Amino acid sequence: MDLMARAGDLKGELMSFAMSDRFGGVLEELILDAFPGGVVNDEGVFAAVIEDFLFRHRLPGGSRVVERFVAENRALDEQDKALLLGWLDDVQGMFEIMEPYGDDGVIAYNHVDELTYRVRSNMGPEGVEALTSGMIVIGGVVPVGDEWMISGTPMAFAADQADDVLAGLPEIVTRYPERVFRNPEKLAQARELQDEQRRAFIDLHGGDLVVVSGDQVHKTLMAFYRHAYELAGSKSGPWTEPDLPPLPEEWTDADSVALIYDAEDGLGFYIDYAVAQQAFAEPDLIRRRIYREVVSAYLREEGISPVPIRRLVAEAGPDAASRVFQKLLKKPRFSWERDGEALLRKYKADWYASPPLPRVTVTSPALTRRFQDANSK
């Protein structure tokens, strides 16, 4: 059987599995998040929700739907399993149709990652007959061998609408930077830029960590940007832009915020860091609610990397860290030197699963112009 046809059959089986009652509650919650009130009024957004559910959403236990399907379906041979698990590398993007590719495919340029894809439809020629050069297609593709298969229900826009559609590109790049970093050149450039910015941060502050009050976060951040940009030879930057989005209130209202420019994790902001420092300096303080809640949040909350805990341990030493976590976890035999790394890997599993992506994004001249156009409106 043709591999693309087999991929189409497997996608249908996967969809039936995902839409079964066993996942009904999880999927309903995701749909309600996208469509408050439960009324689906945009088929493109609905399709994107389904694709995200199949390939990216973590079920209880940490697996994703496609992984669960492979694990439970004994009828699959090794080729089928490899094909399905390859779809974890699905690509969501804004694709410009460049030219036909055989009878059932197109060559498409993804404006998000700036890579070109050979895309086919498992429906045969009728699946791509409406896609002509210059059209913009927003949606996803999944790998099938050396090619890519259209996945989900993409939204297609005529060539004369391309500029209007691509005006939304800066928002996509900002919201989903990981999509940009599929391009290895962009990833390497971003890592290099982040290293340069970290050196500028250290040059300005004498180290890669500075603790300020919440009302000083904006001033501190703008001073850093100015220093970094001027070192790079630029005389304008974020500090000259009057309409920047406001910083989160949880930062600006906090008694203390640590700005840490970590070599791996980039620039992070950690509220109430001074409180955590006090707890590690005097571990008995962890018995008090405010200290316990701050340290517990650093450990348990999703979205917080291991960086602040690592820094606190480095400042206070492993013996103090052992005492803090003995009291926090109610494990009197806990030893940071013996158990600390396992503790972080338990609560920060996603961070350890793959190297952290840069927190900065490198833009092409075309994307820079679109950012400028978006900011001028």
Side-chain angles (χ1 to χ4, degrees):
M1 177 183 288
D2 176 76
L3 187 59
M4 193 64 62
R6 179 56 179 156
D9 292 342
L10 289 172
K11 181 66 185 295
E13 294 176 23
L14 175 62
M15 285 291 295
S16 296
F17 178 77
M19 294 296 186
S20 63
D21 291 343
R22 64 185 298 179
F23 300 120
V26 177
L27 185 54
E28 182 180 2
E29 184 176 338
L30 294 175
I31 293 172
L32 287 174
D33 285 343
F35 301 98
V39 178
V40 176
N41 53 17
D42 189 318
E43 291 299 325
V45 174
F46 178 75
V49 171
I50 299 300
E51 293 293 292
D52 183 78
F53 177 58
L54 294 176
F55 306 126
R56 286 177 292 281
H57 180 77
R58 298 272 181 186
L59 299 167
S63 64
R64 288 159 286 194
V65 172
V66 65
E67 293 172 312
R68 190 76 62 85
F69 177 70
V70 169
E72 296 183 12
N73 194 331
R74 296 182 179 180
L76 298 173
D77 61 25
E78 292 305 313
Q79 185 180 37
D80 287 344
K81 292 178 181 179
L83 179 60
L84 284 159
L85 293 177
W87 294 352
L88 294 171
D89 186 33
D90 74 305
V91 177
Q92 297 291 319
M94 304 178 80
F95 298 90
E96 181 174 347
I97 306 304
M98 308 303 291
E99 59 183 296
Y101 173 58
D103 295 329
D104 61 354
V106 293
I107 303 296
Y109 175 79
N110 184 2
H111 284 270
V112 176
D113 60 23
E114 300 182 18
L115 295 173
T116 300
Y117 295 80
R118 295 179 297 169
V119 181
R120 293 174 59 197
S121 169
N122 65 289
M123 296 173 60
E126 67 178 280
V128 297
E129 62 183 358
L131 302 180
T132 58
S133 297
M135 292 185 71
I136 302 296
V137 177
I138 300 177
V141 295
V142 293
V144 177
D146 295 331
E147 300 170 321
W148 297 80
M149 181 181 74
I150 298 171
S151 185
T153 307
M155 297 180 289
F157 300 87
D160 60 7
Q161 297 178 280
D163 285 341
D164 290 337
V165 175
L166 291 174
L169 183 59
E171 181 180 356
I172 296 295
V173 168
T174 301
R175 183 176 296 182
Y176 306 106
E178 68 278 3
R179 298 182 184 179
V180 177
F181 296 139
R182 281 192 50 78
N183 186 326
E185 291 186 6
K186 294 293 182 184
L187 179 58
Q189 292 170 3
R191 292 198 190 284
E192 182 177 350
L193 177 58
Q194 184 162 280
D195 288 343
E196 290 177 2
Q197 288 195 354
R198 182 170 184 268
R199 289 193 292 270
F201 189 97
I202 293 171
D203 183 66
L204 179 63
H205 293 293
D208 65 356
L209 182 155
V210 61
V211 182
V212 299
S213 59
D215 59 6
Q216 292 297 305
V217 173
H218 182 270
K219 179 180 178 180
T220 304
L221 186 59
M222 291 303 106
F224 158 63
Y225 282 144
R226 181 167 190 164
H227 187 68
Y229 278 58
E230 289 182 348
L231 284 178
S234 176
K235 298 300 181 184
S236 63
W239 70 94
T240 64
E241 299 174 13
D243 298 321
L244 285 174
L247 296 177
E249 289 186 3
E250 64 175 345
W251 296 1
T252 56
D253 292 344
D255 290 334
S256 66
V257 178
L259 285 70
I260 304 177
Y261 213 125
D262 185 71
E264 288 184 277
D265 202 47
L267 180 60
F269 300 79
Y270 307 100
I271 63 173
D272 295 327
Y273 190 80
V275 172
Q277 285 179 310
Q278 293 171 15
F280 275 75
E282 300 180 54
D284 285 341
L285 289 174
I286 206 71
R287 300 180 187 279
R288 295 170 58 180
R289 180 175 178 179
I290 184 172
Y291 299 96
R292 186 171 63 254
E293 287 183 346
V294 171
V295 177
S296 182
Y298 283 176
L299 177 64
R300 295 184 169 96
E301 282 192 12
E302 293 184 10
I304 298 181
S305 79
V307 167
I309 288 180
R310 286 177 172 176
R311 295 310 177 92
L312 290 162
V313 172
E315 291 174 9
D319 290 343
S322 295
R323 293 172 59 199
V324 167
F325 288 104
Q326 286 169 5
K327 299 176 187 301
L328 180 69
L329 304 173
K330 299 181 180 179
K331 294 184 176 180
R333 295 184 179 180
F334 181 91
S335 164
W336 179 263
E337 292 182 313
R338 184 188 63 230
D339 307 317
E341 186 68 13
L343 180 70
L344 291 179
R345 287 182 176 275
K346 174 183 176 180
Y347 286 100
K348 310 298 181 184
D350 286 348
W351 192 92
Y352 282 98
S354 57
L357 293 172
R359 293 180 184 261
V360 299
T361 301
V362 178
T363 61
S364 63
L367 182 55
T368 298
R369 287 195 298 273
R370 295 194 184 280
F371 269 106
Q372 292 170 341
D373 291 343
N375 290 332
S376 66
K377 292 178 180 179

